[in-house]
Amino acid sequence: MSVRIDGEVSGGVPGRSSRGRRLLRGPRPEAVPVLVGRAATLVGLLDIAAGVFPRFRHSRMHALAEVLPGSFGPFAAALSLSAGVLLLLLAHGLKRRKRRAWRAAVALLPAGAAAQFAYRHSLVGALIAVALLVPLLRHRDQFAALPDPRSRWRALANFVLMSAGSVLLGLVIVSVHPGRTIGDPSLADRLTHVIYGLFGFEGPVDYQGNTSWTVAFSLGALGWITAVTTIYLAFRPEHPAARLTEEDEEKLRALLARHGGRDSLGHFALRRDKAVVFSPSGKAAVTYRVVSGVMLASGDPIGDVEAWPGAIERFMDEARAHSWTPAVMGCSETGGEVWTRETGLDALELGDEAVVDVADFSLAGRAMRNVRQMVKRIERAGYETRVRRIRDLGEAELERIRRAAEDWRGTDTERGFSMALGRIGDPSDGDCLIATAHKQDDEPGEYGDLKAILHFVPWGKDGVSLDLMRRDRAADPGMNELLIVAALQAAPKFGITRVSLNFAMFRSALARGEKIGAGPVLRAWRGLLVFLSRWFQIESLYKFNAKFQPRWEPRFVVYRAPADLPRIGFAAMQAEGFVDLAVPLPRFLRRRRPAPGRPCGHVGERDVRAA
């Protein structure tokens, strides 16, 4: 029997309380904010159409576009366009129950309605604005979500995107008056007119009647919105992304010392670009990162399994407070059961983790023939391997390994989140294992005889989990196989009995789809995965891991609703480094040599493309 105490379960396996319910079912969107956000989107589009297209402004649909501020005249067209763009910008925040978006909408609607009534004396437009304002005020308690993590880079991104959107929309505004355009201006003239108009100046395109004023006011409104939103984002208070503090890291290390053997991904919770929530008693924790509004956890909770529900509850509370979408990437079967039971979320098998039991590993036998031949060939070519703990390396050698790992990275963007530590050689990571390949050359390169690197993090007291694989592109193929075999053969002297290798997404589908008797749906799914493997390491990771005859441990993604899966997948790709929306610095400007004890970027890409 389990007893619920202070958000945790004491005794037995975590489950439901005696009242047969869970406190949290996940922060499902409220109906009112979603409807209000959709209404703001619709009204915004109608306002933009009313401000841009002359025929629309004089059609029967113009009444629907009168929320802000009306439809006729140069000033009204510009104000309608401004209101439409602002409502579109606010709509997503309203759907997510953001307090700041609610405040902006509450201020925008009556101001626009007053401007419309003063300019056009339109009672209908004012009533439509009030119709949208009433639910905002009546349900103001539902718009209480806290801000997302943000930085000054949002201002630059806003300037670039708004400028591009304003230029494109400006070209439409300039071009939708063919009957009143004087002459036949070229595309270059139209573009010049748009750019001048965004800054409030007259361009080379002329129109008949009041059209010149309408176009000028509209272009000026777009430039004004771009400037105001950029200035606001640049000078508003920052809410930086949470980072792992020294105190949090100490608590996590204490939990890992007692319970780290449960999950091979546990040590990756010590990434310093993750935040953490602890259970009320401090016996369990969940680490996460917020990416594009998704609160993304990875692996199982850290700590005592009986205290997991308390940490999960805190995680869900945090997601609700900010209106983030909760998700878990790569949890184990046990972790998935607890997450779904405690929160009402759903789980979907994501792939399998390859785990090699050291006692059962051998190069003998037909199944290991290819690996055995490759290793012997490389050894005959003069390569030797060294397997050591990080604490046994000197600082000079560590620095050389750090620089090599960065320069040998296959992409400009650092990759890794759920199965990557993000640093090498930190003094607090002395138990990490590193395997290196060496070969003496006639002309030693920048890194001497160093040719390849494998880095492993602790998995409890008797295991390690692969963190990164890097090799010199000029070295012979097979460096990764050589170092994995070397690590497995050296494992007993370090007291290591199990080694976790790469994670293979959709492995079961790839394995079953190539067998005799597989159905057409399964074969089609496998074909799609093979096609996607041209850009993502799906099939290659599966085949590489399978060389070492591992046992496969399923891993799951936990999500709230099927509609959230595309968003979660995109956020996961951002977190792992496959999609980078930030403006990167030129490579020569990036810091290459972090001080000891600081993170060394996200050096966590498990690169087997060279294998």
Side-chain angles (χ1 to χ4, degrees):
M1 180 176 180
S2 298
V3 180
R4 187 80 183 177
I5 300 175
D6 192 24
E8 299 181 11
V9 174
S10 177
V13 178
R16 301 181 188 272
S17 68
S18 58
R19 286 179 288 176
R21 62 97 181 99
R22 274 297 303 151
L23 295 176
L24 296 174
R25 303 287 298 180
R28 296 186 181 276
E30 299 290 344
V32 172
V34 173
L35 290 176
V36 168
R38 290 174 180 173
T41 300
L42 176 61
V43 171
L45 291 174
L46 290 173
D47 279 347
I48 292 174
V52 172
F53 300 103
R55 293 182 181 179
F56 184 87
R57 292 202 297 270
H58 296 280
S59 71
R60 294 179 180 179
M61 294 291 293
H62 83 274
L64 295 177
E66 285 187 329
V67 174
L68 289 174
S71 304
F72 305 121
F75 177 74
L79 196 53
S80 181
L81 182 64
S82 302
V85 173
L86 290 174
L87 283 174
L88 286 182
L89 294 176
L90 294 174
H92 183 64
L94 291 173
K95 290 180 182 179
R96 296 184 57 206
R97 305 182 294 110
K98 292 298 183 180
R99 190 68 175 178
R100 291 181 182 271
W102 177 86
R103 290 172 179 170
V106 167
L108 177 65
L109 290 174
Q116 170 187 250
F117 187 78
Y119 184 75
R120 287 197 56 239
H121 308 291
S122 171
L123 183 60
V124 175
L127 291 177
I128 295 176
V130 171
L132 183 57
L133 181 63
V134 167
L136 282 173
L137 295 176
R138 182 178 179 183
H139 301 280
R140 59 184 177 275
D141 57 324
Q142 295 189 24
F143 297 88
L146 301 175
D148 289 346
R150 62 189 185 225
S151 67
R152 305 298 186 198
W153 287 103
R154 292 288 298 274
L156 177 60
N158 177 84
F159 177 75
V160 173
L161 295 177
M162 287 291 294
S163 297
S166 296
V167 169
L168 293 177
L169 189 56
L171 284 174
V172 174
I173 294 172
V174 170
S175 304
V176 293
H177 307 275
R180 291 183 173 270
T181 305
I182 299 176
D184 185 20
S186 64
L187 179 61
D189 290 335
R190 296 172 191 266
L191 183 60
T192 302
H193 192 86
V194 170
I195 295 175
Y196 275 43
L198 292 177
F199 287 94
F201 300 103
E202 282 292 331
V205 181
D206 292 325
Y207 301 90
Q208 299 174 359
N210 290 332
T211 304
S212 294
W213 289 103
T214 302
V215 172
F217 272 112
S218 299
L219 294 177
L222 289 175
W224 175 80
I225 292 174
T226 301
V228 169
T229 54
T230 301
I231 292 172
Y232 167 74
L233 292 174
F235 290 97
R236 68 177 178 171
E238 284 190 278
H239 281 252
R243 292 289 186 268
L244 204 64
T245 66
E246 292 184 4
E247 181 181 359
D248 290 339
E249 185 173 340
E250 290 179 3
K251 292 180 180 178
L252 286 175
R253 288 186 183 276
L255 292 177
L256 288 171
R258 294 191 295 269
H259 306 283
R262 182 178 294 278
D263 184 15
S264 64
L265 306 188
H267 199 85
F268 298 123
L270 298 176
R271 282 184 66 105
R272 289 168 182 153
D273 56 0
K274 290 183 177 181
V276 61
V277 290
F278 290 92
S279 64
S281 66
K283 294 181 179 179
V286 175
T287 58
Y288 67 92
R289 186 197 298 173
V290 179
V291 182
S292 296
V294 177
M295 191 176 182
L296 201 62
S298 59
D300 292 343
I302 307 300
D304 188 351
V305 66
E306 294 183 353
W308 284 6
I312 290 173
E313 183 173 328
R314 290 283 180 87
F315 176 89
M316 299 298 287
D317 284 342
E318 192 77 5
R320 176 183 289 111
H322 293 82
S323 191
W324 291 330
T325 300
V328 185
M329 298 294 297
C331 64
S332 68
E333 188 169 2
T334 300
E337 289 177 355
V338 177
W339 272 101
T340 55
R341 181 187 304 160
E342 296 298 314
T343 64
L345 302 179
D346 292 322
L348 179 68
E349 185 173 342
L350 188 61
D352 296 89
E353 175 188 13
V355 178
V356 178
D357 294 312
V358 174
D360 299 332
F361 177 77
S362 173
L363 287 176
R366 184 177 183 83
M368 298 298 295
R369 179 181 178 183
N370 290 337
V371 176
R372 181 173 64 249
Q373 290 179 343
M374 178 171 288
V375 169
K376 290 186 177 298
R377 176 180 60 80
I378 296 174
E379 289 177 340
R380 287 196 299 268
Y383 288 90
E384 63 175 30
T385 59
R386 303 169 192 169
V387 182
R388 294 160 288 175
R389 297 283 189 186
I390 284 290
R391 59 172 172 263
D392 297 328
L393 273 67
E395 183 57 36
E397 186 174 7
L398 268 178
E399 178 61 22
R400 181 161 57 102
I401 290 174
R402 289 192 194 104
R403 292 190 291 108
E406 180 179 352
D407 287 349
W408 294 344
R409 190 173 62 241
T411 59
D412 287 337
T413 303
E414 293 280 12
R415 293 180 179 173
F417 167 68
S418 57
M419 306 180 85
L421 184 59
R423 59 183 182 266
I424 296 178
D426 190 280
S428 59
D429 298 324
D431 287 337
C432 290
L433 199 70
I434 190 162
T436 54
H438 304 263
K439 182 183 180 183
Q440 294 292 340
D441 294 327
D442 295 335
E443 297 181 3
E446 181 180 358
Y447 307 110
D449 62 350
L450 183 63
K451 300 301 178 183
I453 304 165
L454 258 63
H455 187 254
F456 299 85
V457 300
W459 174 12
K461 297 180 179 180
D462 61 348
V464 290
S465 183
L466 181 59
D467 176 24
L468 65 84
M469 308 168 72
R470 298 284 167 80
R471 66 184 286 271
D472 186 349
R473 301 297 172 179
D476 293 337
M479 291 292 101
N480 293 325
E481 288 92 335
L482 173 69
L483 289 180
I484 287 178
V485 170
L488 289 169
Q489 291 177 339
K493 74 177 183 180
F494 296 103
I496 294 171
T497 62
R498 52 187 179 168
V499 177
S500 169
L501 299 179
N502 294 288
F503 171 74
M505 290 186 64
F506 309 116
R507 186 217 50 103
S508 58
L510 289 170
R512 293 197 301 266
E514 62 184 357
K515 292 182 178 179
I516 296 177
V521 175
L522 188 57
R523 288 183 179 275
W525 175 227
R526 182 183 180 277
L528 176 61
L529 293 176
V530 172
F531 175 75
L532 294 176
S533 296
R534 299 180 180 181
W535 298 277
F536 304 101
Q537 299 179 50
I538 300 176
E539 186 183 29
S540 59
L541 276 174
Y542 160 55
K543 291 185 175 181
F544 178 82
N545 292 332
K547 293 180 182 180
F548 303 96
Q549 303 299 307
R551 56 182 169 89
W552 300 99
E553 298 289 342
R555 292 280 175 173
F556 299 83
V557 56
V558 176
Y559 59 97
R560 183 176 58 190
D564 292 334
L565 285 174
R567 184 179 181 186
I568 292 171
F570 184 71
M573 292 179 69
Q574 286 182 264
E576 296 289 350
F578 289 101
V579 177
D580 187 10
L581 300 182
V583 180
L585 290 174
R587 193 176 182 90
F588 69 89
L589 293 178
R590 301 174 194 168
R591 184 176 61 178
R592 293 183 51 184
R593 303 184 182 186
R598 300 293 297 172
C600 182
H602 300 169
V603 282
E605 179 186 8
R606 300 186 171 197
D607 189 359
V608 299
R609 284 172 290 186

